[in-house]
Amino acid sequence: MLSELPFTLPALRQAYADGVHPEDAIAEAFRRLDGVADPGIFIHEAREAALAEARALGAPDGRPLWGIPYAVKDNIDVAGMPTTAACPAFSYDPGEDAFVVARLRAAGAICLGKTNLDQFATGLVGVRTPYPVPNNAIDPEIVPGGSSSGSAVAVAHGIACFTLGTDTAGSGRVPAALNNLVGLKPSLGLLSARGVVPACRTLDTVSIFAFTVSDAYEVFSAAAGFDAADAYARDMRLGPLARLPADVTIAVPDEATLETFGDMEQADHFHADIDRLQRAGVTVKSIDMTPFFDVARMLYEGAWVAERTAAVGARITEAPETLHPTTLAIVSDGLEKSAVDAFEGIYKLQALKRRCEGAMEGVDLLCVPTIPNFVTRAEIKADPIGPNARLGTYTNFVNLLDMCGIAVPTGSRADGRPGNMTVLARAGEDDRAAALALTVETGLLGATRWLRPAAALPDAQPRDDEIAIAVCG
Amino acid sequence: MLSELPFTLPALRQAYADGVHPEDAIAEAFRRLDGVADPGIFIHEAREAALAEARALGAPDGRPLWGIPYAVKDNIDVAGMPTTAACPAFSYDPGEDAFVVARLRAAGAICLGKTNLDQFATGLVGVRTPYPVPNNAIDPEIVPGGSSSGSAVAVAHGIACFTLGTDTAGSGRVPAALNNLVGLKPSLGLLSARGVVPACRTLDTVSIFAFTVSDAYEVFSAAAGFDAADAYARDMRLGPLARLPADVTIAVPDEATLETFGDMEQADHFHADIDRLQRAGVTVKSIDMTPFFDVARMLYEGAWVAERTAAVGARITEAPETLHPTTLAIVSDGLEKSAVDAFEGIYKLQALKRRCEGAMEGVDLLCVPTIPNFVTRAEIKADPIGPNARLGTYTNFVNLLDMCGIAVPTGSRADGRPGNMTVLARAGEDDRAAALALTVETGLLGATRWLRPAAALPDAQPRDDEIAIAVCG
């Protein structure tokens, strides 16, 4: 039954091998969207275009993402669809695909439409939008997470197999944690920023939401490619997803700096995740997170907010009424910062980088809870800034420190809320972060009842809490 | 005769091996200083301290710079001497040596004192100081060059064997060109900035003036060392000075962008230098310098001037009368720049970096005239800014592009003025730049009548315009 088909890469490929046509899968995607009945997920639905594209695919042609339904955060250009960045007055017709979208299109993927976001990708909550706020796919009392809210929710409901987000402060990871997904945040410069509305140009990256680590990594590999026209692109080789080497050392927050703002379930769940890793032979080192948190605070309290001010531009002073009030308040802050502030911030960051490098000495990866705790829509209504800032505890420092990371579901907490860990690595070691994530991902897929497939790695064995399924294609 | 002894490393070592004691060499250094009778060279003369240190050296102990007289630009800390940065009101007692000075001290070098500079290392002319302006060692009508004016002049007269400068915009290269010296500007982060008064912290480096490439490189190697306490230090291996590989390709400015502001002698001399290289088997590629010049302009016209503003700090508004008027005018500009300006400058630089990288594709080194033309003291009196900016034509872009370089004398121009070429390389390729410089250095040493010794490299042969001398020690 198509309605029961998990939208993972292996399951879709199997279905297509069994004779299902992508047009039917795309139709099913929109049936699911209609069933969820959440007008906040998409800003632009490309129903007819997607069906037509799928129809035009013809017979399987071997392309890696042939017929795979996906969606794109609405700050990334897709030819034929407006780009709004969740600011209707900003809307433009991009004319052509963003570099990464062009690569996915060339790989055969079918775009379902453009998803909602915190306006100009400024926020971690998903409620800073003039469009309807998407519901969290797991629990509508919780914020959907942002800024890539619609992209996360679309995957969590099984509407899309994967989605593109962006990540500057954690927008590709926090919504993954809140919707029980994988959120892959590449090293800066591996996915071209051409055709992406900037937030902080020195810190932005496109990101990927998917149900599983291997799906996310496969999409990442398809979208990656050096783009000489993107000044921030980096020509780094992306390693294949492989098993973790035997002798891995991870750092974790020590007891004094495992910040969960009083959410003991979150701390307990994280401890259990780390215990699992330790039993699997990983060496664990507790570190003081203070310098990382000091870096995290610089993103909004320091001069980097002026990057957002630069990105939004004259609209702040000339048409402030076209901005979401919270967004306006935040990006206006950047107008007050001087170039001296900016350089002093850069110096401070450089000094903190050294302290963080010191903390990471002898360590391969850093594992943290993706979010410290959960934020309700009521809380963010009462205080639009504070709870948002708390959500960035374990994400805000990552891009400033030029690290890569992957948020990965680690099963339900004792209270049923989704557990999620982020594995962080140094720039260029995306494969290493994903390899560890692969060993910890567990639980049902997103908000669905679908079982997690075993990753199809060479000689990988299913773990005792996984179900082995055959994967072809 | 000690009065005729060239203050090069080989000659001093030979003299010491022959029984001369460093105390006599230090006394000779001060006799030379007295003979030159230029009160503008040193801000602080450490006559008694240097003699006492030399006396205390005892017998040769094998240290690489044992008894070698040198001087330090007065924005670098030397224990027991005030640091002024050519701003008397800023003067402080540093208490301890700068990291590089401590290394030189440990290597046995003897510091003669602290040299004059353009205040806060802001300038390329050497006249922006409240102290007497040092005379150019070759021609007193010409500016001495800056900001490391005193350091260059001290070597050029043979008072010091080498001196430390700093280089942000070209302060370690322009005075070398104007005083017929080698000016070695290392890759950023190879010489610790600890104990150095900042100009633009993201772009500053300590630099070295000497008569010869091999002397400069040896001092560089002695001073270099990773300093974990300097946030901008880089842990890069410094290769030894060696012969140039056979198949080297250099880029040079094409005819349209070989800017000499009408000084045809300068263009002719540069062409002759390049012809010599070509005859020696080097492959030469002409490139359009426009993107490099666009970068150069950003240093003072863009937001980076705010780094200088940050460095000078509250003095600009609270005690402006303590600043040189030209310095005040320049660093005040930074107060007008916003953080948005700073980040937009950073974006623009990143885009230009890509264009410059493109121009350098397939090229090992970039060779340029160190200065486009000469500037007289009368010209800079008439216009304190314009001629200074022109002097940075071939230097201002270098640190912004994270390149290293070495300015090297290439013999006299037809009119007798010193010819000087700068060899630029990518960060970390300091050895490669020095190797090419070694093949082009020629002519008498500084403002002296001393002949240039042949470099003592393994199987290096004297060139036909050099005189072979035996070098020991």
Side-chain angles (χ1 to χ4, degrees), chain A residues 173 182-185 213 216 370 404-408 421-424 433-434 437:
Chain A
R173 290 162 281 158
V182 169
L184 191 159
K185 187 217 81 72
V213 172
T370 304
C404 59
I406 182 164
V408 57
M421 172 195 286
T422 288
V423 186
L424 298 167

Side-chain angles (χ1 to χ4, degrees), chain B residues 177-244:
Chain B
L178 290 167
N179 293 281
N180 194 35
L181 295 175
V182 169
L184 191 158
K185 188 218 79 73
S187 297
L188 297 180
L190 290 190
L191 294 185
S192 170
R194 186 144 52 109
V196 181
V197 179
C200 298
R201 279 193 64 196
T202 66
L203 304 173
D204 297 336
T205 177
V206 171
S207 72
I208 294 141
F209 295 101
F211 286 121
T212 69
V213 172
S214 66
D215 277 12
Y217 205 81
E218 194 172 336
V219 171
F220 176 30
S221 304
F226 180 66
D227 176 11
D230 171 12
Y232 284 95
R234 274 157 147 181
D235 199 1
M236 287 199 290
R237 197 191 62 86
L238 177 60
L241 184 58
R243 302 203 70 167
L244 197 66

Side-chain angles (χ1 to χ4, degrees), chain A residues 97-115:
Chain A
D97 288 335
F99 183 92
V100 288
V101 169
R103 285 188 68 97
L104 295 173
R105 190 190 293 277
I110 306 288
C111 180
L112 303 173
K114 307 290 293 288
T115 58

Side-chain angles (χ1 to χ4, degrees), chain B residues 44-383:
Chain B
H44 177 87
E45 286 179 26
R47 210 173 275 247
E48 293 314 315
L51 285 167
E53 254 183 74
R55 204 172 305 131
L57 280 175
D61 57 15
R63 284 185 292 162
L65 300 176
W66 186 85
I68 302 296
Y70 80 110
V72 176
K73 185 177 180 179
D74 198 17
N75 60 347
I76 303 173
D77 292 340
V78 179
M81 306 182 195
T83 303
T84 69
C87 176
F90 174 76
S91 181
Y92 63 89
D93 171 5
E96 60 180 28
D97 287 336
F99 182 92
V100 288
V101 170
R103 285 188 68 95
L104 295 173
R105 188 189 294 277
I110 305 286
C111 181
L112 304 173
K114 307 290 294 289
T115 58
N116 205 348
L117 64 151
D118 283 319
Q119 193 175 69
F120 288 110
T122 295
L124 294 171
V125 283
V127 308
R128 297 173 177 172
T129 172
Y131 299 99
V133 171
N135 283 318
N136 181 296
I138 312 280
D139 175 355
E141 297 211 343
I142 300 295
V143 295
S147 63
S148 318
S149 53
S151 280
V153 171
V155 174
H157 285 304
I159 297 164
C161 171
F162 71 89
T163 51
L164 297 183
T166 59
D167 188 312
T168 305
S171 294
R173 290 161 281 158
V174 168
L178 290 167
N179 293 281
N180 194 35
L181 295 175
V182 169
L184 191 158
K185 188 218 79 73
S187 297
L188 297 180
L190 290 190
L191 294 185
S192 170
R194 186 144 52 109
V196 181
V197 179
C200 298
R201 279 193 64 196
T202 66
L203 304 173
D204 297 336
T205 177
V206 171
S207 72
I208 294 141
F209 295 101
F211 286 121
T212 69
V213 172
S214 66
D215 277 12
Y217 205 81
E218 194 172 336
V219 171
F220 176 30
S221 304
F226 180 66
D227 176 11
D230 171 12
Y232 284 95
R234 274 157 147 181
D235 199 1
M236 287 199 290
R237 197 191 62 86
L238 177 60
L241 184 58
R243 302 203 70 167
L244 197 66
D247 55 340
V248 166
T249 300
I250 62 167
V252 299
D254 63 18
E255 276 315 291
T257 57
L258 179 64
E259 178 62 83
T260 62
F261 300 103
D263 184 343
M264 297 317 293
E265 292 266 20
Q266 192 74 343
D268 289 348
H269 189 81
F270 181 71
H271 285 139
D273 289 342
I274 299 304
D275 286 349
R276 255 202 304 156
L277 281 170
Q278 219 155 4
R279 283 197 305 274
V282 169
T283 304
V284 177
K285 183 185 165 193
S286 293
I287 65 167
D288 176 8
M289 292 292 289
T290 306
F292 296 86
F293 294 158
D294 287 347
V295 171
R297 268 188 293 274
M298 298 186 75
L299 195 60
Y300 282 97
E301 294 173 20
W304 277 266
V305 73
E307 291 209 72
R308 296 180 190 271
T309 312
V312 176
R315 178 177 308 280
I316 298 168
T317 48
E318 290 172 11
E321 72 286 356
T322 63
L323 292 168
H324 188 280
T326 310
T327 312
L328 175 62
I330 291 166
V331 298
S332 296
D333 270 2
L335 294 171
E336 307 303 316
K337 307 280 184 187
S338 69
V340 169
D341 294 334
F343 283 108
E344 286 181 342
I346 288 168
Y347 307 153
K348 186 178 165 193
L349 173 61
Q350 187 69 21
L352 285 169
K353 270 185 182 167
R354 274 297 144 79
R355 291 188 54 206
C356 294
E357 283 165 15
M360 289 287 288
E361 214 170 292
V363 163
D364 300 302
L365 298 160
L366 171 59
C367 292
V368 292
T370 304
I371 53 172
N373 64 349
F374 289 79
V375 171
T376 65
R377 285 175 74 154
E379 282 174 297
I380 203 70
K381 198 166 181 185
D383 174 6

Side-chain angles (χ1 to χ4, degrees), chain A residues 444-463:
Chain A
L444 298 175
L445 303 182
T448 75
R449 304 309 302 168
W450 301 330
L451 298 176
R452 182 170 300 271
L457 284 186
D459 68 56
Q461 298 298 321
R463 291 191 313 276

Side-chain angles (χ1 to χ4, degrees), chain A residues 184-188 190 213 217 220 234 236-242 244-245 248-250 360 362-366 401-406 423-437:
Chain A
L184 191 159
K185 187 217 81 72
S187 297
L188 297 180
L190 290 189
V213 172
Y217 205 82
F220 175 31
R234 274 158 148 181
M236 287 197 294
R237 197 191 62 87
L238 177 60
L241 183 58
L244 196 67
V248 166
T249 300
I250 63 166
M360 289 286 288
V363 163
D364 301 302
L365 299 161
L366 171 59
L401 292 175
D402 195 16
M403 299 177 87
C404 59
I406 182 164
V423 186
L424 298 167
R426 295 173 182 88
E429 300 187 347
D430 305 69
D431 52 346
R432 216 190 263 228
L436 187 76

Side-chain angles (χ1 to χ4, degrees), chain A residues 270-344:
Chain A
F270 182 70
H271 284 139
D273 289 343
I274 299 305
D275 285 349
R276 255 202 304 157
L277 282 170
Q278 218 154 5
R279 283 197 305 273
V282 169
T283 304
V284 177
K285 183 186 164 191
S286 292
I287 65 168
D288 175 8
M289 292 292 290
T290 306
F292 296 86
F293 295 158
D294 287 346
V295 170
R297 267 188 293 274
M298 298 187 74
L299 195 61
Y300 282 97
E301 293 170 22
W304 278 266
V305 73
E307 291 210 71
R308 298 180 189 271
T309 312
V312 176
R315 178 177 308 283
I316 298 168
T317 47
E318 291 172 12
E321 71 287 356
T322 63
L323 291 168
H324 189 280
T326 309
T327 313
L328 175 62
I330 292 167
V331 298
S332 297
D333 270 1
L335 294 171
E336 308 303 316
K337 307 278 184 189
S338 69
V340 169
D341 294 334
F343 283 108
E344 287 181 342

Side-chain angles (χ1 to χ4, degrees), chain A residues 86-180:
Chain A
C87 175
F90 175 77
S91 181
Y92 64 88
D93 172 4
E96 60 180 28
D97 288 335
F99 183 92
V100 288
V101 169
R103 285 188 68 97
L104 295 173
R105 190 190 293 277
I110 306 288
C111 180
L112 303 173
K114 307 290 293 288
T115 58
N116 205 349
L117 65 151
D118 283 318
Q119 192 175 70
F120 288 110
T122 294
L124 294 171
V125 283
V127 309
R128 297 172 177 174
T129 172
Y131 299 99
V133 171
N135 284 317
N136 181 296
I138 312 280
D139 175 355
E141 297 211 344
I142 300 295
V143 295
S147 63
S148 317
S149 52
S151 279
V153 171
V155 174
H157 285 304
I159 296 164
C161 172
F162 71 89
T163 51
L164 297 183
T166 59
D167 188 310
T168 304
S171 294
R173 290 162 281 158
V174 168
L178 290 167
N179 293 280
N180 194 35

